[in-house]
Amino acid sequence: MIDSRFQLNNRLAPSESQTLVSVGRLTEQKGMLDIVQAFVSLPQNIRNNWKMKIYGSGPQEEDINRCIDEYDESSVELSYCPYEKMPEKVYSKAAAVVHGAKWPEPF
């Protein structure tokens, strides 16, 4: 069963077709810092072609921002989006969703 708000009605815009997103609380258990560290560790020629958008808030926010600043990585963005707007503002505008949880999730 798929929530129709997650389906794309149109093709992605060029800037969205190379956008990865990760959504969740910024905690060790969710693996959000690991996702950012993995992305900034990719070869530059790969990072030049992709954007990584992290959506969430939590105790690792400062560490994630520090990692982004340390690598001077403009292709990684940390933001927040209200839960009810996620389908149309985040998921429908991304090429893929990256999930980095370090424990079994209930889905």
Side-chain angles (χ1 to χ4, degrees):
M1 183 176 286
I2 296 178
D3 185 329
S4 62
R5 295 175 301 163
F6 288 75
Q7 295 176 319
L8 299 175
N9 294 327
N10 300 316
R11 297 183 61 82
L12 290 172
S15 63
E16 297 165 341
S17 68
Q18 293 178 303
T19 300
L20 304 171
V21 299
S22 191
V23 176
R25 183 135 168 82
L26 306 180
T27 64
E28 175 67 26
Q29 297 88 348
K30 291 289 188 176
M32 302 298 266
L33 179 58
D34 295 313
I35 290 170
V36 173
Q37 289 171 330
F39 184 82
V40 299
S41 296
L42 291 170
Q44 185 69 43
N45 63 331
I46 294 174
R47 287 195 328 267
N48 286 343
N49 293 310
W50 289 91
K51 275 192 164 177
M52 168 59 77
K53 294 185 177 184
I54 304 292
Y55 291 90
S57 63
Q60 284 194 322
E61 187 169 344
E62 187 176 314
D63 293 333
I64 291 171
N65 278 321
R66 191 174 314 125
C67 181
I68 293 168
D69 291 344
E70 179 182 321
Y71 282 87
D72 193 25
E73 191 53 62
S74 61
S75 59
V76 179
E77 177 183 317
L78 178 58
S79 189
Y80 180 82
C81 182
Y83 181 78
E84 64 276 357
K85 297 193 181 276
M86 297 297 281
E88 67 270 9
K89 298 286 184 182
V90 176
Y91 295 124
S92 68
K93 298 188 180 305
V97 176
V98 179
H99 179 71
K102 296 180 177 183
W103 77 64
E105 291 282 355
F107 59 85

